[in-house]
Amino acid sequence: MVLGLDIFHIYKYPVETVIKTHLSKYPTPKEKFVECIKTVEEKIDSVSGVEYRKKLATCTNVVPKFLRRLGLMNVPAIYLEEESWYYRRERTAKLCSRMLTWADLAQITEESEFKPSPDNPNWTEFRMRGTIAVTGVGPFGAILEYYAQLFLRGGGKKSTDYGRTTTREI
C-alpha cells in the first residue's frame, strides 16, 4: 500500500526569506533529531543561475523500541538525502528528500515547493507532498507505514513551524 501526505501553508514573508530559512535550517538546537548535515554537492548553473545542492542528513533513530527488537530496525542512525533547486530568477525552489536507511524495504519520499503566492507576491506558498510505500515485509508493513506516516507528518509540521518562527526572527 502507498500512503500519502499533503501539507499546504502560506508564509506571510517574501519567498526569498522563506527559501533562505529552509535551506539553512539545519543543524539547529530546535531540532534535536537531526544530528548532522553534510553538503556533498553544490553548484550554480552559470547560464540559468539555478542553485543546486545535495545534502546528506544523519538523524536519530526514532523508531519505537518495540519495533527495534527486529534486527533490521535497530540501526544507530537514519540517513536521508535531500536535493534542492533554487530558481532565484523565478523566485521558486523545489526540494526532494528520500530515506536511504531502509531503501530496500521502504520508499519514503518528500517533495516541497516554494513559490510566491498569487494572492500577494510578498507572501510564500509552501506545499509538501510525501509518500510512503513499504514492501517485502508482509502484514508487518502496515505497522511500519503507520510509524513512517507519523514521522513524515511530524516532520512536515516541524518544518512549517520552524519556518514561521525563524522568518519572524530574520
Side-chain angles (χ1 to χ4, degrees), residues 37-43 51-57 80-85 96 98 100:
I37 297 286
K38 181 180 178 183
T39 301
V40 295
E41 188 176 353
E42 189 169 14
K43 58 186 174 184
E51 298 173 26
Y52 170 79
R53 287 179 188 83
K54 185 177 194 177
K55 298 179 180 182
L56 296 178
L80 306 169
E81 175 186 80
E82 177 185 86
E83 293 181 282
S84 65
W85 297 264
C96 296
R98 66 185 184 102
L100 301 174

Side-chain angles (χ1 to χ4, degrees), residues 41-123:
E41 188 176 353
E42 189 169 14
K43 58 186 174 184
I44 299 173
D45 184 286
S46 61
V47 177
S48 67
V50 175
E51 298 173 26
Y52 170 79
R53 287 179 188 83
K54 185 177 194 177
K55 298 179 180 182
L56 296 178
T58 304
C59 303
T60 304
N61 185 350
V62 294
V63 172
K65 289 185 185 198
F66 81 93
L67 289 174
R68 285 198 216 174
R69 289 186 181 138
L70 303 168
L72 61 117
M73 305 308 282
N74 194 18
V75 296
I78 296 173
Y79 300 98
L80 306 169
E81 175 186 80
E82 177 185 86
E83 293 181 282
S84 65
W85 297 264
Y86 181 9
Y87 303 89
R88 194 177 290 271
R89 292 179 192 155
E90 291 84 7
R91 301 182 67 217
T92 63
K94 181 178 178 179
L95 283 74
C96 296
S97 303
R98 66 185 184 102
M99 182 181 52
L100 301 174
T101 303
W102 296 293
D104 54 336
L105 297 174
Q107 292 74 45
I108 299 177
T109 61
E110 174 189 313
E111 292 186 7
S112 300
E113 295 176 291
F114 300 86
K115 63 182 182 179
S117 170
D119 297 331
N120 183 336
N122 291 316
W123 291 358

Side-chain angles (χ1 to χ4, degrees), residues 1-5 63-64 66-67 70 72-73 99 102 105-109 130-154:
M1 175 169 42
V2 176
L3 299 176
L5 173 70
V63 172
F66 81 93
L67 289 174
L70 303 168
L72 61 117
M73 305 308 282
M99 182 181 52
W102 296 293
L105 297 174
Q107 292 74 45
I108 299 177
T109 61
T131 59
I132 303 158
V134 177
T135 57
V137 290
F140 182 65
I143 296 169
L144 295 178
E145 284 174 343
Y146 172 76
Y147 281 101
Q149 187 175 34
L150 290 177
F151 179 76
L152 195 60
R153 186 176 292 131

Side-chain angles (χ1 to χ4, degrees), residues 26 28-36 57-62 77-78 80 151 158:
Y26 299 119
T28 176
K30 295 178 183 180
E31 176 52 79
K32 61 184 177 181
F33 298 121
V34 178
E35 298 171 9
C36 174
T58 304
C59 303
T60 304
N61 185 350
V62 294
I78 296 173
L80 306 169
F151 179 76
K158 282 182 185 179

Side-chain angles (χ1 to χ4, degrees), residues 7-25:
I7 293 175
F8 179 79
H9 183 76
I10 301 262
Y11 292 100
K12 294 183 179 180
Y13 298 95
V15 71
E16 294 81 5
T17 303
V18 176
I19 291 170
K20 178 182 174 186
T21 300
H22 277 271
L23 291 177
S24 62
K25 68 183 176 183

